[in-house]
Amino acid sequence: MTDTALPDDLLALLRRVDTPTVCNAIEVAQGRRGFNRFTRGTMQHSKPGDPAIVGFARTARISGLAPPTEAPEVIRARRMDYFRAMAGGEGPTAAVVEDVDYPNCIAGWWGEVHVAVHKGLGLKGAVTNGVLRDLDVIDEGFPVLAGSIGPSHGFVHVVEIGSEVSIMGMRVAQGELIHADRHGALVIPDAVIPDLKQAIETVMASENIVLGPAREPGFDIDRLEEVWAQFEAART
């Protein structure tokens, strides 16, 4: 199912729920704990509270700590090839761009210009281990989840297009489905996609076994013991 259209009802649901819920739901769909295709560490979000980034990955690798060693015309041509690649693929799509200088990234690839360009090309957001900048002026409606925030563009240039990338411990291949918000990002395995909507609904229903009573007047330890047993029986 990689790089193919999602059912409309699943896509709408994925955009509404947060990434921890999807992480839990993947385990429900798999029938076991231990799913681990997600980012590690605290990341920076351009617009906390925006709907989640949901899209099939358009991947690339960049660098900016040192000047490129290739001829300028090669670098310019590769950047245009990058934009062509980003504009491709079945939607929804999202840019997943590794800065190979991590953890010493300085190049703010994701700023006012590139956010506007990628949004204009139809992508739904971006995930990177690199640098985000221009926070006050970047366009609405294109969330960026980044490894850091900084002021410079350095010597930024495209190194590879369409290769597997590594973002904060999460490996992503071209065309894999990602979900990301202020908590981090994850890769949704192809095998769970047919069962994912029901799994998300199961996660929310099981959590409500505790959340409902906990938010009611008169909640106490006796009520907790009662509902927690039901919760334990319902969850993965």
Side-chain angles (χ1 to χ4, degrees):
M1 194 168 294
T2 297
D3 219 13
T4 58
L6 291 174
D8 289 342
D9 56 348
L10 174 59
L11 178 57
L13 180 59
L14 286 170
R15 286 175 172 160
R16 288 200 308 271
V17 298
D18 62 22
T19 302
T21 297
V22 177
C23 197
N24 288 358
I26 290 170
E27 293 185 332
V28 169
Q30 293 178 331
R32 64 185 184 278
R33 291 202 180 191
F35 171 74
N36 63 4
R37 293 197 66 191
F38 49 78
T39 55
R40 274 67 169 170
T42 302
M43 299 181 72
Q44 305 292 327
H45 198 286
S46 60
K47 305 284 184 181
D50 268 12
I53 302 167
V54 183
F56 295 103
R58 309 301 296 169
T59 63
R61 303 174 81 210
I62 63 169
S63 181
L65 196 57
T69 57
E70 297 170 290
E73 59 270 20
V74 172
I75 297 300
R76 286 194 295 269
R78 187 178 298 133
R79 182 171 291 210
M80 285 300 105
D81 288 341
Y82 164 93
F83 288 132
R84 292 186 190 96
M86 286 288 150
E90 296 293 327
T93 56
V96 184
V97 177
E98 177 186 357
D99 189 324
V100 300
D101 301 322
Y102 183 84
N104 301 308
C105 312
I106 65 166
W109 184 258
W110 296 103
E112 183 178 16
V113 172
H114 274 168
V115 165
V117 167
H118 287 76
K119 181 181 177 183
L121 291 175
L123 290 92
K124 302 303 180 183
V127 176
T128 182
N129 62 343
V131 180
L132 168 67
R133 64 177 187 164
D134 299 337
L135 290 172
D136 296 328
V137 293
I138 55 175
D139 289 358
E140 300 287 338
F142 189 93
V144 180
L145 182 67
S148 61
I149 294 171
S152 177
H153 58 201
F155 299 98
V156 70
H157 58 284
V158 178
V159 176
E160 293 179 7
I161 302 165
S163 55
E164 184 179 80
V165 296
S166 178
I167 309 292
M168 310 290 283
M170 176 185 72
R171 301 202 70 83
V172 187
Q174 178 98 307
E176 289 191 302
L177 182 61
I178 66 160
H179 191 282
D181 66 9
R182 70 173 84 182
H183 301 92
L186 56 78
V187 175
I188 298 175
D190 288 351
V192 309
I193 292 175
D195 302 314
L196 191 55
K197 181 175 183 292
Q198 182 176 348
I200 292 171
E201 292 167 349
T202 297
V203 168
M204 294 190 293
S206 65
E207 290 179 348
N208 282 334
I209 293 171
V210 171
L211 290 173
R215 290 166 175 163
E216 292 173 353
F219 182 71
D220 58 16
I221 187 62
D222 293 331
R223 182 68 170 132
L224 175 60
E225 289 179 358
E226 175 188 347
V227 299
W228 197 265
Q230 299 171 27
F231 176 56
E232 289 281 3
R235 70 177 182 164
T236 299

